Amino acid sequence: MLIRDHFQNFKSYQLPKAQLIIADVPYNLGNNAYASNPAWYKDGDNKNGESELAGKSFFDTDEDFRPAEFMHFCSTMLKAEKKPTKSVEGEPRQKGDAPCMILFCAFDQQMYFIELAKRYGLNNYINLVFRKNFSAQVLKANMKIVGNCEYGLLLYRDRLPKFRNNGKMIFNCMDWPRDNESEKIHPTQKPVALLERLIEIFTDEGDVVIDPCAGSGSTIVAAENLGRKAHGFEIKKDFHTAACKWIENERKKRDEIKEFGYAKTEVEKTYPSLF
């Protein structure tokens, strides 16, 4: 479910508590949002002069983002930690099911959010680094070292969160897959494959995933692909409309695969049926 509203109004919607919250918060780039992007110039070429995006921010809602209210929402909507059950002789020890939060943020925002999270009971963190094989910082790229990483935080209370690693070691630096198939709705849209990977690690089928800043709806698409219950908030009308359409298309695709063995509607766009 994608709600067109601010997450501050969450009490109106009686959402279930989440096993995992995934959020991509505003990076506070302000008027420099396009500073390393060719879109700053007309047709991407600085010889043509600045475009209408020069000196502009991505969104007019960034200035309204209140980190403390956001963190209060997240701490409130994460489900409670259960006390570990006593081990019974002859029975395997029960796996932990504590919840957690994954926060995408700028490198220089990390310490601020770590300290802010502690004020709301999220006392522990693990730094996350997402390594790309490309860079958005293409301007003057032959004159400086360009960034190819995005950053994030895994935040949790006192107990280690649910961890489904299938016995494998998982590093805090992981590859950022390209996403050439998904709808392109939002300028900071995260790849569905990456979100699926994170959701697989920290949740089980049927668990609740919440995205307070849903944007394109990619978190909801990824969660529903994996059989999780997903909820999100997106206040911008255009993003909400496009995201809802994408989410519904993905649901239809999954239903058709289950019924016919393939995505009938998608195939017929390219190869129209004679019947």
Side-chain angles (χ1 to χ4, degrees):
M1 176 175 66
L2 183 60
I3 300 166
R4 190 190 161 204
D5 201 350
H6 199 285
F7 59 78
Q8 291 169 315
N9 302 321
F10 70 95
K11 291 182 181 178
S12 305
Y13 300 97
Q14 299 180 329
L15 299 182
K17 296 298 179 76
Q19 178 67 39
L20 173 65
I21 290 177
I22 297 182
D24 183 14
V25 298
Y27 285 19
N28 294 329
L29 297 174
N31 293 341
N32 289 317
Y34 294 92
S36 63
N37 192 298
W40 185 282
Y41 298 103
K42 293 178 182 178
D43 298 325
D45 190 337
N46 59 4
K47 295 179 182 177
N48 298 330
E50 294 183 341
S51 73
E52 60 182 11
L53 298 177
K56 299 288 182 65
S57 60
F58 280 143
F59 320 110
D60 56 9
T61 53
D62 283 7
E63 296 176 1
D64 299 326
F65 180 72
R66 299 178 176 88
E69 293 178 8
F70 163 78
M71 199 61 72
H72 172 260
F73 164 84
C74 294
S75 64
T76 300
M77 289 309 300
L78 281 175
K79 73 177 199 178
E81 293 184 358
K82 293 181 181 178
K83 293 182 179 180
T85 55
K86 294 181 180 180
S87 58
V88 178
E89 188 175 351
E91 293 185 8
R93 183 166 182 165
Q94 188 176 4
K95 292 182 178 179
D97 68 344
C100 66
M101 172 181 173
I102 295 173
L103 178 69
F104 292 95
C105 60
F107 178 82
D108 55 3
Q109 289 178 308
Q110 291 180 94
M111 291 310 302
Y112 170 72
F113 278 113
I114 288 169
E115 293 304 315
L116 182 63
K118 289 178 182 178
R119 284 166 44 188
Y120 293 91
L122 298 166
N123 300 312
N124 298 282
Y125 71 92
I126 298 173
N127 293 101
L128 301 175
V129 180
F130 304 98
R131 179 180 53 212
K132 300 177 179 178
N133 64 355
F134 60 95
S135 175
Q137 298 177 357
V138 297
L139 298 181
K140 299 182 180 179
N142 61 339
M143 301 173 65
K144 62 181 180 180
I145 294 175
V146 297
N148 75 320
C149 292
E150 295 220 15
Y151 302 92
L153 295 168
L154 173 68
L155 301 167
Y156 59 100
R157 295 187 183 113
D158 298 312
R159 303 187 187 282
L160 282 170
K162 181 184 288 190
F163 188 59
R164 302 299 185 244
N165 61 336
N166 295 320
K168 298 179 181 178
M169 186 179 293
I170 295 178
F171 299 113
N172 75 321
C173 180
M174 56 187 73
D175 289 334
W176 179 283
R178 282 183 178 270
D179 192 345
N180 297 320
E181 297 180 1
S182 299
E183 299 277 348
K184 296 299 181 288
I185 295 170
H186 198 278
T188 61
Q189 185 169 322
K190 301 298 181 279
V192 170
L194 175 65
L195 296 169
E196 286 179 343
R197 177 67 176 135
L198 295 171
I199 291 168
E200 281 181 323
I201 294 172
F202 297 107
T203 68
D204 290 315
E205 192 169 342
D207 281 342
V208 175
V209 178
I210 294 178
D211 187 341
C213 312
S216 67
S218 55
T219 298
I220 293 178
V221 170
E224 290 189 351
N225 284 347
L226 299 170
R228 276 62 167 174
K229 300 171 185 175
H231 305 274
F233 291 86
E234 175 50 48
I235 196 169
K236 297 290 286 183
K237 180 180 179 180
D238 291 346
F239 290 142
H240 178 268
T241 300
C244 285
K245 183 178 179 181
W246 182 27
I247 292 166
E248 285 304 315
N249 286 342
E250 291 300 310
R251 287 172 181 164
K252 185 175 183 180
K253 191 185 301 182
R254 286 192 299 271
D255 289 342
E256 289 180 346
I257 290 172
K258 190 178 296 184
E259 182 177 356
F260 304 112
Y262 68 100
K264 185 172 180 287
T265 303
E266 291 297 310
V267 171
E268 289 184 347
K269 288 179 183 178
T270 307
Y271 304 102
S273 173
L274 296 177
F275 304 99

